[in-house]
Amino acid sequence: MKHYELLYLVSAQIPENQIETIQSEVSDWIAKAGGAITRQEPWGRKKLAYPIKNEKFGHYVLLEFDIEGEKLSEVEKKLLLHKPILRHLVVDKKPLSAKEMLMQESAQRRQR
């Protein structure tokens, strides 16, 4: 299994209470394809750098998961066809060790 990172953007027209429903749908798609989610982090509503489909705001969600490469295309097809998801990006990522995660978290705290 390979480790991937998925960042997707949900339309700001979707109410806050339905964002969690969309997150669970995406998680279910990954699970049904034989994947395992290792991290899920909703970033919230943010202003877009440029309008997408005449929308200036969107809800960002970051996911990290493990899945077989062949099964990833199934998940991506569903992401493309799901209307509330404006954009998505899947990146092959090297999983971090526990020590690397601690170092990364401490660096983030120092930046704040």
Side-chain angles (χ1 to χ4, degrees):
M1 282 193 169
K2 290 182 93 176
H3 190 73
Y4 294 96
E5 180 177 80
L6 165 65
L7 179 67
Y8 61 95
L9 177 63
V10 180
S11 170
Q13 304 297 323
I14 305 299
E16 289 282 334
N17 59 354
Q18 289 184 358
I19 299 295
E20 292 178 13
T21 305
I22 293 170
Q23 289 176 358
S24 64
E25 285 177 3
V26 173
S27 299
D28 288 344
W29 296 339
I30 293 169
K32 286 179 183 175
I37 295 174
T38 57
R39 179 176 155 202
Q40 184 167 346
E41 189 176 322
W43 287 357
R45 185 173 190 247
K46 297 186 183 279
K47 185 171 175 108
L48 304 177
Y50 55 89
I52 300 174
K53 298 182 182 176
N54 295 324
E55 294 195 33
K56 295 181 180 177
F57 290 89
H59 298 275
Y60 286 83
V61 180
L62 178 73
L63 275 176
E64 287 188 23
F65 59 97
D66 299 316
I67 196 169
E68 294 295 330
E70 314 84 54
K71 300 291 185 174
L72 180 63
S73 61
E74 293 175 20
V75 175
E76 283 192 290
K77 283 179 188 174
K78 290 180 181 179
L79 288 166
L80 282 170
L81 296 173
H82 200 56
K83 295 277 186 205
I85 297 177
L86 299 174
R87 294 278 194 276
H88 75 276
L89 178 67
V90 179
V91 179
D92 186 3
K93 187 174 179 188
K94 179 188 144 220
L96 297 177
S97 67
K99 183 179 177 181
E100 290 171 326
M101 288 175 80
L102 287 173
M103 289 173 48
Q104 189 178 49
E105 288 174 8
S106 65
Q108 288 176 348
R109 281 191 219 118
R110 280 185 261 141
Q111 286 180 339
R112 294 179 189 165

